Each structure stands twice: as C-alpha cells, then as structure tokens.
Amino acid sequence: MSILLDQLAKQLGADMIEGGRAGQRRIDRAYAGDRVSDLLNHASDTTLIVTNLANQSVARLIELMEVPGVCLLDGAKPEPAVVETAREHGAALLVSRDGMFETCGKLYKILETACGS
Amino acid sequence: MARKTVKNTSGRKKPSPAGVAESRGAGVSPVSFQHAIQGGDYDSGGDGAKRIKDVLKKIGVDPQSVRRTMVAAYEAEMNVVIHAYKGLMKVAIDPAQVDIAVTDEGPGIEDIELAMKDGYSTAPAAARELGFGAGLGLPNIQKNTDRFSIQSTVGRGTQLRFTVLLQPQTGESPAVNSVRLDPARCRQCLMCVHACPTQAVRVRDGRPGVLDHLCIDCTSCMAACDSGAIGMPAAAELPAPSKKTVLVIPGSFLEQFGSDVGPGQVLGALRECGFEEIRLLDEWEAALRDAVVEYARDVALKPVISPSCPAVLNLIRMRFPSLLEHVAPFLTAVEAAREEITAPHAVWAAPCPAQCSALRAPSLLTKIELVDPPVLRKAAFEHIGVHARHDEASPRPAGPRQVLQVSGIRHVMNVLEAIENGRVSDYALIELFACDQGCFGSPVWVEDPFMAQPRFEWAKERHPILSPGGRASAVRRVEPLSPRAGMRLDSDMRAAMAKLAEIDRLTKTLPGRNCSVCGAPSCTALAEDVVLGRATPESCIYRSESPDN
C-alpha cells in the first residue's frame, strides 16, 4: 500500500513548492533525520525524506539517491539550487509549517491509515 | 615519524570476492575516469558521485547497486571535501563491479580503528551545518560495499579503496589458488605428492593435479619438483612497460644476482628494461610490521600472529581456524600494495603462488600483469653485464664483512656449492649446521628449534651461568681433515671412467621418474648400483615391463 505525494501534502497541510509530475509519485514510508549519512542509508524510491537540511546536501540526496520527495520543516525556504534540482529530477519538494516532531506525528498517522501499518 | 596503517576492514562476515576477476564478462574493457576533488568546496562535493551514477544508469545497473555505490562514493567524496586539501577519485566500471579509489592529500587519520566507529568525527562546524560530520561516513562506506580498505599516513593523506559488486555472488567464494601444473613436463616422480603439507597433490593416470580446496598456495610442491612441471600463472615473457607502468618486486629479487651485484645495480638494470617506477614490496612489509607491533601492544589475546605470509594465513584458515582470532586484522603486504597502487598498469614479480592469488583478486583500476620472476631476472641480467663493467654506484662494501650462520642441510649444501663456484665474496666467516637452528633442530628434541633457540638466547641474558665463562678452550686440530673416498667409483681412474660411461648408458635406459620403487633414490643411483654390483636392472619395475629395454 502506498500514498500519492499530492494527497499526502494535502493531508499534512504542507506546501508543495515543487510538484508537477512528482505529485503523482507514491511513497510507502518516511524517514526523518538531519544527518546526511542516515538519509543516504535510508533513502529509497518509495521513501519520503523529512529533514531540516534545506541546502546543497538535500539537493545531492535528490540527485544521487532518486528519492521521490523531500519534506522540509518549520516553513523553511530552500535554496534555489535545491528547488532546481528537485524539478530536474522529478522529485517533490514539500514544506511543512511544523517542526520535525509534529510533522512526523502527522505523517505517522497518515501513513498508518494509507498503508495500513 | 609518520605512521602508515592499512586496515583490513572487510572482516570475515562477507566472503572475499576473490575469483570474480575470472568470472566477469570476458572481453569487456572497463569504463574508467578520474575526478578531482577540492578540499572545502562543499558545492562541488558530489559531482564525482554524479558522474559515476550517470555511467551506471547508462549501462543499466540495478537500482539497489546504484544506491549502494552512490552512498559509498558520495561519503568518500565528502570526506575529502571536509577533511583534506585536495583529492583524486579514480573509478573503473565493468558489468560485474565498480572499483573506486579515493586518494587525498590531507592530515591523514591518526587512529583508523576509532575513525571506523559510528559517531566519531573530527569534522568542522561548516560540515556539520550541512548534515555531515556525524562520524558515520566511513562505516557507511563499508556497509555499502563488498570490499573496502583504508590506509592513511598521518601528515600525508588517506586512501580509500572500495568495490561494489554488480552481480550477485552466491555462496562462499571459490577457493583460489595459483599452483599451475604442466602434465607434459611431469615425470611422475611423486615428490610433490609427498612434499605437500596439506596432501593436496595427486598424480593419477600420469597427470598431476591439485585439490583446490586443500591447497594453501605455499611453495612446497614447487620446491620439490625437479622437472619444471609446477609453476605459477605468470607471464613467461616480460610485459611491455609504458610510462604509466609500475613494477612491483619483492626485496628478495634484488639479491638474486650474486655477491658482486648490489641492489642499486639491479634497480638500474630494471630501469633500463623500461620500468621507470619501481616499488619494493618491503615498503608495505615494514609498514605492516610497525602496525602489528603497535596493535600487539594493546591486544589481550597473545600471541598475536602477524599476517606476514598469505600461504600461512591459508594454512591457519584451513587447519587452525581456532587461531584466526590471533591474527592481527591487517591486510598482507601484497594485498595492501595492491590496494594502494592505482596506476593503470602494474607488472608484478610475485615469488609465490599465494601472492599471485592475492593479485588475481578483481581490480578494475589497475591492469595487473604477473611476470614469472626468473623471466624478469633474465631481463635484468642482460643489462647488469654492462653495469658491472662501468660499476655505477654499487653499494657493496669492499672486502668480506660479516659472519654468516646457515642451518638446514639443504641450505648448507647450497652455500658450499656457491663457495666452491667462487660465488661468495662478501662473507668473512661461515658457520654451517646440518640441522635447522643448529643442534636445536635435531629430531631427537621435542620443541621446535625456531622457538627453542631464541628462548635459550633470552635465558642466557637473564642467567649468566648459562653463558660459557671462559672455562673451556678451543683445541687446535693436529691431524688435518682428509677427503673421504665415498664418491669414487673405482680406485683405478681408468676403471672408474669405464664405470662412469656404463652408468650413463644404463641411466638412459631407465624411465627417469626417480620413483624409488627399486630402492634407490634416483634412476642414476640405480644405474650406479647395478654397475657396482649392488643391484640388478630388473629391480626397476618400469624397465622390466617394457620389452624395448
């Protein structure tokens, strides 16, 4: 079971900064963290990455690991290069207005309902 | 002094992918490129990984392998960006694997053990802001690769080398050995069969064979073989060197030209053969020794066994697996050298099958060619003649210089022959012992002489009473030593010559396999026995089978 990123963004109340076709990609899990090594290890093509890193590091993550979407936190404004990379690689860029704890709490519920675990 | 450490971090959990080199798609030459990395350039960090990814995508590598390669490559690249002044990433890709070396000029790593631990980091604040410096980089690289090594010299830099296999390896990797048999030259003397310490050799139906799962790649069978039927998978012709070729030789190679030709001359001769860059394996042996000595200082389980000889490691793995914990966790010198050398072409004069095997492990970055050491020796020898006449900087001191102790009857005979042939000009005094380590090697003793003899030496230091204190004296020989006639065929020289001719003739009628079934040690010895009336030709079972003889 999985959920469309468009649908997830709506339920989460997050802004879809970069969407387009990426909104039609599906994820079945999320991984939250601020250490690049952790994110690299847990990235997959059905994993939403949740992170405070709104910089070059997350752009590389999108570029190298082909993650379907990244959710930034606390209404962060990503660097233009990050937006550009997301567009180029067809990845969704979401910005949650909440911090990591609240965002993850909401995500957990959404994914539990959508994916059944 | 800068310390170099080569850490074997591949551990025992994963089977070594040795042997892959032979199974990968034949005829496909690898895609290779280099990528320069600038220290401190956080924006460009990741460009190298991106280039790798583009290639992997183009050749259709599965997503999981791409991901693993990306994690390792990106982490390695960022390590250079964060910690070093500059670095170089060398990449080679073929359908079976991705081989990557990342070498940097930087401060090096003081304690690799510590750096390999999750959470240990020396990264600056700038790196941490970007989500790096969590101390997970090196463990992450190891986790995502199938082969990984790291070596670092404090004050100079660090090199990471890793491989991601693109084709699944099933089960345990096949045992690789490098003993090669030539049935055409085999005389079926069975010496190798008896010499093998692990009983891995068979000669059946006239053909010699090695049981791969038992062979430890030592040189016992080679040493026992007189017919040249046992060798190594090394080129019988000298590979042509280019400007980018590195020649790797063991230090022992430099001492294969007698007492009058020094290492400097041999190196000069090798350069004249076209090898501009020459590396001695001793560099890595010395580094290994330093590292193991340091390791042994802190480790509780004693004795520590140094991974100095790959054949011995094979022996331990097979016959003494309970001792594996005693082996210091470092690559052997030859493996460390293989990891460090990333030049596109390396010619290697490995003196034993075990080293050959280590060099046959997959390496896409470097085309490794094994050359049979005697072939290289012959090539060097042709240039040494010229050198010896002009005598450019021979490092040999003039005149005899030291005491030589030799033990073991085989070595004693070698030395005596060398003296007789006038090939020993550099030793002033020679002590020879028939048994290994002198009388400590007598078969009547129970302790191995190589352990007992040094123990006694230490004991002498502690207990002066064990040291002879001038009470005994040397006694001058009154009657001179006289030759023994044992070898002479007849007291009359004319008769002796006739017998010699008869022995030669008879020897030619014998099979020459020196099987000893007749009771004589060799066919020639049987011929001599027959001529001297000690045996009859019929005692040779092969000769009497054949009506022609």
Side-chain angles (χ1 to χ4, degrees):
Chain A
M1 293 293 286
S2 57
I3 183 168
L4 284 175
L5 279 169
D6 272 340
Q7 208 176 333
L8 180 134
K10 196 182 270 177
Q11 290 184 28
L12 191 61
D15 295 330
M16 184 75 99
I17 292 190
E18 180 52 46
R21 279 180 301 121
Q24 293 301 303
R25 290 179 76 170
R26 308 183 80 91
I27 59 133
D28 56 15
R29 63 189 282 271
Y31 183 84
D34 290 336
R35 304 195 297 193
V36 174
S37 292
D38 289 335
L39 301 180
L40 285 169
N41 257 330
H42 290 274
S44 83
D45 57 2
T46 59
T47 302
L48 175 73
I49 295 293
V50 184
T51 183
N52 285 298
L53 298 170
N55 51 35
Q56 176 69 8
S57 296
V58 84
R60 288 298 187 189
L61 199 70
I62 293 167
E63 185 176 50
L64 299 177
M65 307 306 291
E66 307 201 329
V67 291
V70 173
C71 180
L72 303 177
L73 302 163
D74 284 319
K77 296 228 178 337
E79 292 170 12
V82 177
V83 183
E84 183 54 39
T85 306
R87 180 176 303 135
E88 208 175 297
H89 289 83
L93 202 54
L94 285 64
V95 177
S96 165
R97 265 156 269 172
D98 302 318
M100 187 176 274
F101 181 73
E102 293 79 6
T103 305
C104 286
K106 287 181 186 173
L107 271 175
Y108 186 86
K109 278 191 193 139
I110 295 168
L111 287 173
E112 197 179 33
T113 313
C115 306
S117 66
Chain B
M1 203 192 84
R3 181 170 64 86
K4 170 176 282 186
T5 311
V6 183
K7 189 79 181 145
N8 173 14
T9 52
S10 57
R12 250 172 286 149
K13 63 180 183 263
K14 278 178 234 158
S16 139
V20 177
E22 289 174 321
S23 65
R24 68 168 183 248
V28 183
S29 57
V31 177
S32 54
F33 60 88
Q34 299 189 355
H35 177 82
I37 307 165
Q38 199 56 46
D41 184 357
Y42 288 90
D43 284 344
S44 304
D47 284 355
K50 181 71 179 25
R51 280 180 74 181
I52 298 170
K53 186 183 170 191
D54 290 343
V55 175
L56 297 181
K57 285 272 168 192
K58 273 181 199 147
I59 62 175
V61 171
D62 70 287
Q64 179 59 19
S65 298
V66 175
R67 245 193 310 275
R68 295 178 71 217
T69 310
M70 283 307 101
V71 174
Y74 184 42
E75 292 273 22
E77 200 175 347
M78 289 309 293
N79 265 342
V80 177
V81 171
I82 295 166
H83 297 283
Y85 317 125
K86 62 175 182 172
L88 187 66
M89 180 183 245
K90 290 187 184 180
V91 184
I93 301 165
D94 83 353
Q97 59 184 316
V98 186
D99 201 4
I100 299 174
V102 179
T103 312
D104 70 46
E105 290 169 30
I109 300 172
E110 190 87 47
D111 186 340
I112 290 180
E113 200 91 39
L114 198 56
M116 287 303 301
K117 282 207 177 101
D118 274 2
Y120 177 83
S121 176
T122 58
R128 289 176 194 259
E129 267 167 37
L130 284 170
F132 290 96
L136 299 170
L138 291 176
N140 226 3
I141 297 170
Q142 184 179 6
K143 215 178 320 178
N144 285 285
T145 52
D146 297 293
R147 220 167 58 92
F148 170 66
S149 74
I150 172 168
Q151 40 193 305
S152 190
T153 309
V154 171
R156 214 174 74 195
T158 301
Q159 177 176 294
L160 303 181
R161 183 98 192 248
F162 48 89
T163 301
V164 175
L165 299 178
L166 304 178
Q167 287 167 358
Q169 298 294 299
T170 47
E172 188 125 1
S173 62
V176 172
N177 70 58
S178 298
V179 173
R180 292 292 172 269
L181 301 156
D182 180 358
R185 300 178 83 163
C186 176
R187 292 199 305 252
Q188 299 154 52
C189 69
L190 307 184
M191 294 303 280
C192 53
V193 170
H194 293 293
C196 177
T198 57
Q199 307 203 330
V201 190
R202 302 287 185 278
V203 178
R204 294 232 167 92
D205 302 327
R207 294 177 65 88
V210 170
L211 303 174
D212 289 348
H213 65 290
L214 293 178
C215 176
I216 58 164
D217 254 356
C218 73
T219 54
S220 301
C221 56
M222 276 170 70
C225 181
D226 281 336
S227 55
I230 305 182
M232 300 181 286
E237 272 175 41
L238 192 59
S242 76
K243 286 241 178 264
K244 289 180 173 172
T245 300
V246 178
L247 175 69
V248 191
I249 51 171
S252 49
F253 181 86
L254 299 175
E255 290 298 347
Q256 301 308 315
F257 299 84
S259 58
D260 295 330
V261 179
Q265 280 172 287
V266 181
L267 288 169
L270 290 171
R271 282 191 201 99
E272 281 188 28
C273 291
F275 295 101
E276 287 176 23
E277 190 180 352
I278 302 169
R279 301 285 300 265
L280 289 182
L281 197 59
D282 299 56
E283 292 176 47
W284 287 275
E285 283 168 359
L288 174 66
R289 193 166 298 118
D290 288 352
V292 172
V293 165
E294 188 153 327
Y295 169 84
R297 209 171 286 150
D298 302 329
V299 74
L301 188 62
K302 298 271 176 28
V304 170
I305 300 174
S306 175
S308 33
C309 168
V312 172
L313 292 189
N314 285 337
L315 180 69
I316 293 173
R317 288 170 60 205
M318 189 168 74
R319 288 273 300 275
F320 306 96
S322 66
L323 299 181
L324 283 169
E325 283 178 72
H326 288 257
V327 179
F330 295 90
L331 296 180
T332 59
V334 69
E335 289 171 305
R338 182 199 66 200
E339 294 296 300
E340 188 177 321
I341 293 171
T342 56
H345 186 215
V347 174
W348 219 297
C352 68
Q355 288 198 10
C356 288
S357 293
L359 295 168
R360 287 164 61 219
S363 170
L364 287 185
L365 289 171
T366 305
K367 184 184 173 211
I368 295 178
E369 286 192 272
L370 297 168
V371 61
D372 207 19
V375 172
L376 185 66
R377 183 180 176 275
K378 189 161 171 273
F381 202 79
E382 280 164 18
H383 291 281
I384 280 169
V386 181
H387 264 276
R389 276 198 298 276
H390 296 116
D391 193 35
E392 288 173 26
S394 167
R396 298 280 182 211
R401 67 179 196 277
Q402 52 179 305
V403 179
L404 174 69
Q405 282 192 332
V406 179
S407 66
I409 197 73
R410 188 165 68 92
H411 301 292
V412 166
M413 286 184 57
N414 286 343
V415 170
L416 291 173
E417 246 170 60
I419 300 173
E420 204 171 50
N421 294 337
R423 290 193 285 119
V424 182
S425 62
D426 48 352
Y427 293 103
L429 171 62
I430 301 186
E431 288 181 5
L432 302 170
F433 299 93
C435 296
D436 289 333
Q437 300 290 91
C439 298
F440 286 89
S442 162
V444 302
W445 304 134
V446 293
E447 290 285 330
D448 188 89
F450 289 92
M451 286 197 291
Q453 201 267 338
R455 277 179 191 145
F456 187 61
E457 292 301 321
W458 297 332
K460 279 200 279 196
E461 286 168 20
R462 290 196 300 271
H463 308 291
I465 197 167
L466 295 175
S467 294
R471 281 185 297 172
S473 53
V475 179
R476 197 84 192 195
R477 190 185 293 279
V478 182
E479 287 289 322
L481 286 173
S482 58
R484 274 174 60 170
M487 305 282 286
R488 208 183 290 169
L489 293 171
D490 199 294
S491 52
D492 173 53
M493 197 189 289
R494 202 176 285 260
M497 285 179 69
K499 283 177 180 170
L500 192 60
E502 177 59 9
I503 291 168
D504 274 352
R505 193 196 61 76
L506 194 55
T507 302
K508 291 199 182 93
T509 71
L510 295 169
R513 59 172 67 176
N514 301 331
C515 70
S516 298
V517 171
C518 64
S522 66
C523 294
T524 312
L526 174 63
E528 186 177 313
D529 288 347
V530 171
V531 170
L532 297 182
R534 293 191 290 251
T536 59
E538 285 69 36
S539 52
C540 174
I541 56 165
Y542 296 104
R543 187 176 187 271
S544 41
E545 270 170 13
S546 164
D548 300 341
N549 291 317

